[in-house]
Amino acid sequence: MDELEDLSKENFERFRLRLRDRREGPRIRHSAVEGKSPGDLAYYMVSTFTETRALEVALDTLRKIDCNEEAETLYSKTRACVDNGDPTFRKTSTGELEIKSSKEAQSKAAGWRPLRAAQHQGPPVNTSEEAKAKALVLSEGGDPCNDRLVLSRYKIQFGKYEGQTFKWLLENDVGYTAYVVASHQDQREHNKHQNQLMANKDSLTRYAIASPEVLEEIRFHRAYNRSIKAGQEGKVLVGVGAYRWETLQDLYESKDSSKISFVKFLQSMKSKCDPGTKMDTAVKYILKRDNEQAAANRPATRFASRGPIKRPARGKRAQSARGQFTSTS
């Protein structure tokens, strides 16, 4: 309400018209915003969209009418009120969780150099990590007693995203997060030792598994790791696509038309996938099975198909030759 009251008369009118013309649901009726004061309009937005969603709509509308400074002011005043520590996940065009890294993450990873990796092996647990996260929350105007919010401000102390917050990590690279947490959980089954690196990964695990979508990715990574360790390449999970939970053997031998199409897709990726990836493992298995099948179906050689050649005994061969000579002469 304060921000709308601070808008000029012209900008407030543009805001109202833009709000009315939104294409996303729920749609706004013309009569619902016509002649409304800033206070009435703010109340109507909250009752229509809910508090959190109303803020998102207001920020989006302000930016679309080029009131970017006003939008930034509103965001800075309200972000601590609506931020409870949960990440805002990226989605694919089909509405599924995007597990690939964002462009921002790719840029940060490209400039990473593992110069300080060895420093994390020996030091004791960093007890000030929580204190630093709480201080960051306080500086943003948030509640330091909100454990989820504080945990979201912990910073990664290893790898290509070192120095980024846990929340940033989940918002920019779910796939990497799931891989790290799954590997850490496997390691924790045999290693109870605690140091700064392990403690940091423990905290990341607590934060990540609280999101059901991320937890599902972590479970998949653990299942994939176990399938690789089984020692039978046909029992390895496909790992990619709609059938990633299938084993490679079951996928290849399936008579289902959609699975057959997916096998053909993998065959076409022979020279397009990165070495060592799940896709690469799946493609190599498919091509190996293709070669084995081709070898099994290859026709036998000319001599092998006729069977062994039986040669006449020496005496009979000589007698036959004499007869041929006699008849010719």
Side-chain angles (χ1 to χ4, degrees):
M1 183 179 67
D2 290 344
E3 197 60 41
L4 292 180
E5 287 179 343
D6 287 343
L7 291 176
S8 66
K9 184 177 180 180
E10 179 184 357
N11 282 338
F12 178 71
E13 181 65 14
R14 292 171 62 208
F15 181 92
R16 186 181 62 78
L17 293 176
R18 186 75 191 196
L19 184 66
R20 185 197 66 185
D21 295 336
R22 291 180 74 254
R23 294 185 178 182
E24 301 86 351
R27 300 296 295 275
I28 303 295
R29 298 189 309 275
H30 185 278
S31 59
V33 298
E34 186 66 29
K36 286 284 194 297
S37 67
D40 290 339
L41 187 57
Y43 178 81
Y44 175 76
M45 290 177 66
V46 170
S47 62
T48 301
F49 302 111
T50 73
E51 284 188 12
T52 301
R53 181 66 179 144
L55 175 61
E56 295 174 0
V57 172
L59 291 170
D60 180 61
T61 305
L62 285 169
R63 291 178 179 124
K64 286 181 177 177
I65 63 172
D66 295 325
C67 289
N68 296 309
E69 185 176 345
E70 291 84 350
E72 186 60 32
T73 300
L74 178 60
Y75 174 72
S76 64
K77 289 180 178 179
T78 57
R79 65 178 179 175
C81 301
V82 298
D83 187 359
N84 61 0
D86 291 328
T88 301
F89 292 114
R90 294 173 299 123
K91 301 290 184 177
T92 65
S93 58
T94 58
E96 298 177 347
L97 180 67
E98 178 61 83
I99 61 175
K100 296 180 180 178
S101 58
S102 67
K103 290 184 178 179
E104 181 180 355
Q106 293 171 17
S107 176
K108 290 186 180 299
W112 175 67
R113 295 292 181 272
L115 298 177
R116 304 190 314 178
Q119 295 180 11
H120 298 303
Q121 301 303 321
V125 177
N126 185 358
T127 56
S128 65
E129 186 176 9
E130 182 178 4
K132 290 179 180 178
K134 285 185 175 181
L136 183 56
V137 169
L138 277 171
S139 70
E140 296 172 349
D143 180 8
C145 295
N146 184 333
D147 292 337
R148 177 73 172 162
L149 179 58
V150 171
L151 200 58
S152 74
R153 298 310 195 262
Y154 275 47
K155 293 187 177 181
I156 308 162
Q157 299 180 15
F158 59 88
K160 58 186 177 181
Y161 301 130
E162 184 176 357
Q164 300 300 316
T165 65
F166 288 177
K167 182 180 180 182
W168 180 94
L169 181 62
L170 263 66
E171 291 181 336
N172 288 276
D173 201 337
V174 170
Y176 176 78
T177 305
Y179 163 76
V180 168
V181 173
S183 299
H184 179 64
Q185 287 182 328
D186 289 341
Q187 187 178 7
R188 269 300 187 206
E189 292 182 354
H190 309 286
N191 182 6
K192 304 301 181 182
H193 180 66
Q194 192 74 320
N195 57 29
Q196 183 174 327
L197 175 60
M198 296 295 279
N200 190 242
K201 289 184 177 181
D202 286 341
S203 299
L204 176 60
T205 299
R206 284 169 45 217
Y207 181 69
I209 63 176
S211 300
E213 293 172 298
V214 180
L215 179 59
E216 179 68 12
E217 284 299 313
I218 293 169
R219 287 172 173 167
F220 167 74
H221 276 273
R222 296 197 71 185
Y224 185 84
N225 291 340
R226 287 193 294 268
S227 72
I228 291 179
K229 295 175 182 178
Q232 301 179 45
E233 56 183 356
K235 300 301 181 182
V236 174
L237 297 183
V238 175
V240 294
Y243 304 108
R244 62 178 186 162
W245 283 97
E246 297 266 352
T247 66
L248 290 170
Q249 180 178 337
D250 288 344
L251 176 70
Y252 188 85
E253 297 176 356
S254 174
K255 304 301 181 183
D256 182 86
S257 59
S258 60
K259 293 181 181 180
I260 292 174
S261 296
F262 190 67
V263 169
K264 290 181 179 178
F265 163 73
L266 291 175
Q267 291 168 334
S268 70
M269 296 298 292
K270 177 180 179 180
S271 58
K272 301 177 183 178
C273 54
D274 296 328
T277 61
K278 294 181 178 65
M279 175 75 77
D280 182 49
T281 300
V283 169
K284 285 180 178 178
Y285 177 82
I286 297 298
L287 296 179
K288 180 181 178 181
R289 289 296 302 270
D290 286 345
N291 292 334
E292 290 173 349
Q293 192 173 51
N297 295 333
R298 189 175 298 126
T301 61
R302 181 168 60 89
F303 292 111
S305 62
R306 292 180 180 180
I309 298 176
K310 295 182 179 180
R311 298 184 180 276
R314 183 169 182 176
K316 292 182 179 181
R317 187 168 64 240
Q319 184 179 0
S320 175
R322 285 197 299 271
Q324 291 177 2
F325 180 78
T326 304
S327 60
T328 302
S329 59

